[in-house]
Amino acid sequence: MVSSSIPLIRTGSIRPVTAWIEANGGSADRYLSGVGLGRVDLDQTERPVAMLAALSFLHRVARAEGASDLGLRVISSDSFWELGRLGQLAVAAKTPRDLLTLVSLASPRFCTHQRISIDSHPDAPTVRFRLPESFDKDAAHLTHQYNLGMVASICRATGFPGRHIARIRVPTDARGSVDAIRPWFDCPIEIATSSTLDVKIEPGIADCLLLRHPSMAQERGVWLPLREELDFRSSAMLLIGDMLADETPTVGRLAEMSGMSQRTMQRRLEASGTSFSALLDEVRRNAAISALASGDGSLSDLAAGLGYAGQSCLTRAVRRWMGAPPRELRERLAS
């Protein structure tokens, strides 16, 4: 699966991980900051973030906790329902088959670079997850665990006792993850002949009625696929803004978070009629004007937050953008 767009995923996808960290007395802040997500508001579940940063976050937590099965550990009975609008699909579903079919149809609205499908087997359907082969293998293995855990949690939501998953086939390059998965499931675990995770549901489970979750409510309105919601330029600006919270943005780091080489990133930016420095300048401009309009914080803090060497650099930039120094502009915006 090859795409020229920047891999994005909704913020809701990382909430099960942060909830697990907090439930175990930890803080997710240092992990999020380490991958360029320190500024992200986790309550804004529909906000897109860099998918590779989200996968890197999962991987960093797993290494720090010594948990090779972290993708399964973080999934609780509430995890799916807390994903934002994707979780709200449960309102329209009566059975696991209904819900997983809706998830497969809605997956482009939740994530740009993962494909989800479910076959039409009348009794024991198989759910399939596919990630780009270019993704980091260890992070991809943890992501497949996460997906497997979500399918199992949906099946358990029927309240049906006993085994829910009939067979698991992990991608060919995930042989090392079988040992991490095995303690969680009493079903055959096989190595697939492809890079797809296959999860076969136990006969009869897919068509059992789902129990209603107490927090279930459906948000109305149009929900666009992420590729349509943000074009390449807007996606790049989003990632640059996230980087500003924790590091000085660079075109190399932007390329890394986008899953492409620095040269390819520069070509894509040029084809979009812009450059990295122009986008960084625009991101800083928008953030500065918003902060000055709110009247919050000192100018020195604002300069530092935007990655400037000092307040004088911020003053020069604001003069160039708006024709007035920051203090004057703040007073003008406040009036």
Side-chain angles (χ1 to χ4, degrees):
M1 181 171 50
V2 178
S3 174
S4 60
S5 65
I6 293 176
L8 298 174
I9 194 168
R10 305 283 182 184
T11 295
S13 64
I14 63 179
R15 289 185 66 178
V17 188
T18 59
W20 180 85
I21 294 171
E22 292 167 2
N24 285 275
S27 171
D29 292 346
R30 65 188 179 100
Y31 300 114
L32 291 169
S33 296
V35 298
L37 298 178
R39 180 176 288 186
V40 174
D41 183 350
L42 298 179
D43 291 329
Q44 295 182 10
T45 56
E46 299 311 304
R47 183 189 188 277
V49 296
M51 185 177 180
L52 295 182
L55 267 63
S56 181
F57 166 61
L58 181 64
H59 190 203
R60 283 182 180 230
V61 176
R63 285 187 302 181
E65 298 293 334
S68 61
D69 60 349
L70 184 75
L72 288 161
R73 289 193 193 190
V74 300
I75 304 302
S76 70
S77 59
D78 293 328
S79 293
F80 181 79
W81 326 110
E82 295 174 348
L83 294 179
R85 293 190 70 172
L86 190 71
Q88 293 167 14
L89 293 175
V91 175
K94 293 183 177 180
T95 66
R97 186 194 301 272
D98 291 345
L99 181 50
L100 291 165
T101 299
L102 289 172
V103 167
S104 69
L105 294 172
S107 61
R109 292 163 170 77
F110 189 75
C111 175
T112 59
H113 283 62
Q114 177 171 249
R115 295 292 171 265
I116 305 173
S117 63
I118 180 171
D119 67 24
S120 56
H121 191 285
D123 193 37
T126 297
V127 189
R128 295 184 171 88
F129 300 87
R130 184 176 177 85
L131 292 167
E133 295 182 10
S134 60
F135 280 15
D136 176 84
K137 300 308 177 188
D138 290 335
H141 298 165
L142 289 166
T143 304
H144 283 314
Q145 291 178 16
Y146 177 104
N147 291 330
L148 173 57
M150 284 293 185
V151 174
S153 72
I154 288 171
C155 291
R156 286 195 298 271
T158 61
F160 190 86
R163 196 167 80 170
H164 300 94
I165 304 300
R167 187 194 64 223
I168 301 166
R169 284 182 178 161
V170 300
T172 32
D173 57 5
R175 293 176 184 272
S177 68
V178 172
D179 289 341
I181 294 172
R182 198 177 301 282
W184 291 80
F185 298 95
D186 59 348
C187 66
I189 301 176
E190 305 169 358
I191 305 297
T193 57
S194 68
S195 58
T196 301
L197 169 70
D198 293 355
V199 186
K200 184 175 183 179
I201 298 174
E202 191 71 19
I205 296 292
D207 297 305
C208 289
L209 292 177
L210 288 167
L211 302 176
R212 300 291 90 184
H213 192 273
S215 66
M216 284 168 61
Q218 191 165 23
E219 185 176 337
R220 303 294 179 180
V222 177
W223 196 27
L224 293 174
L226 272 174
R227 292 175 193 264
E228 296 179 20
E229 187 173 315
L230 293 172
D231 60 15
F232 185 86
R233 186 177 186 279
S234 300
S235 298
M237 289 181 64
L238 180 78
L239 269 58
I240 291 170
D242 287 344
M243 278 188 277
L244 271 175
D246 308 303
E247 58 187 306
T248 300
T250 65
V251 66
R253 179 65 177 136
L254 176 62
E256 181 184 349
M257 291 178 74
S258 303
M260 61 185 72
S261 69
Q262 183 170 323
R263 182 64 192 130
T264 298
M265 171 57 71
Q266 289 169 328
R267 286 199 299 267
R268 289 299 313 277
L269 291 171
E270 184 178 348
S272 300
T274 188
S275 65
F276 175 78
S277 59
L279 291 187
L280 176 58
D281 192 59
E282 186 172 351
V283 169
R284 283 171 163 166
R285 176 185 181 277
N286 293 344
I289 292 174
S290 177
L292 291 171
S294 70
D296 296 333
S298 67
L299 294 181
S300 59
D301 287 345
L302 175 58
L306 294 178
Y308 287 115
Q311 186 175 326
S312 60
C313 296
L314 171 65
T315 298
R316 286 195 295 272
V318 174
R319 280 186 180 276
R320 173 167 53 84
W321 297 325
M322 307 300 294
R327 293 186 190 282
E328 180 182 329
L329 183 60
R330 174 176 278 176
E331 291 172 3
R332 188 189 307 169
L333 293 171
S335 61

